[in-house]
């Protein structure tokens, strides 16, 4: 086993972990109601579903062996922005709508 084979397997393992994060972001993007996005002032559901869907597609490409590292980075940044900024806002809006205040 040479160094490049080990490096390839490490990259694929990291890509798999990142793909899981991108799947999590996409599932959450399509799970919430469209009016929750408007109430949270976070663009629209279609915008975030499309963006996280593109991130998911780029993540699948990285698993299949695409060597475009910049696309892998772009995909995880999109998913990270959704999970760190949009998702907490959506959860807060839905908690207020259900009568649970945080």
């Amino acid at each position: 086993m040479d160094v490049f084979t080990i490096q390839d397997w490490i990259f694929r393992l990291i890509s798999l972990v990142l793909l899981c994060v991108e799947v999590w972001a996409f599932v959450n993007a399509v799970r919430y109601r469209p009016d929750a996005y408007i109430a949270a002032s976070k663009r629209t559901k279609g915008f975030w579903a499309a963006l996280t869907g593109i991130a998911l597609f780029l993540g699948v490409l990285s698993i299949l062996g695409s060597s475009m590292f910049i696309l892998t980075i772009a995909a995880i940044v999109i998913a990270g922005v959704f999970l760190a900024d949009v998702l907490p806002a959506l959860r807060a809006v839905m908690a207020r709508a259900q009568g649970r205040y945080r």
Side-chain angles (χ1 to χ4, degrees):
M1 221 179 207
D2 65 340
V3 174
F4 295 113
T5 304
I6 294 170
Q7 181 181 357
D8 186 52
W9 280 105
I10 290 172
F11 178 72
R12 287 184 192 271
L13 180 64
I14 291 170
S15 295
L16 182 63
V17 171
L18 295 178
L19 180 66
C20 292
V21 172
E22 293 153 6
V23 166
W24 182 31
F26 179 72
V27 167
N28 278 294
V30 298
R31 186 170 68 112
Y32 285 92
R33 300 183 339 214
D35 59 333
Y37 286 86
I38 303 300
S41 301
K42 299 295 180 185
R43 305 285 294 224
T44 63
K45 179 178 182 171
F47 175 82
W48 284 108
L51 217 55
T52 55
I54 291 169
L56 181 60
F57 176 72
L58 294 174
V60 169
L61 285 180
S62 71
I63 290 287
L64 296 177
S66 173
S67 61
M68 304 272 306
F69 297 117
I70 192 73
L71 296 179
T72 304
I73 292 170
I76 197 61
V77 166
I78 291 168
V81 166
F82 178 82
L83 292 172
D85 183 41
V86 180
L87 186 59
L90 291 174
R91 286 182 178 160
V93 164
M94 294 307 291
R96 283 194 303 268
Q98 295 174 353
R100 296 180 311 205
Y101 299 101
R102 292 184 186 196

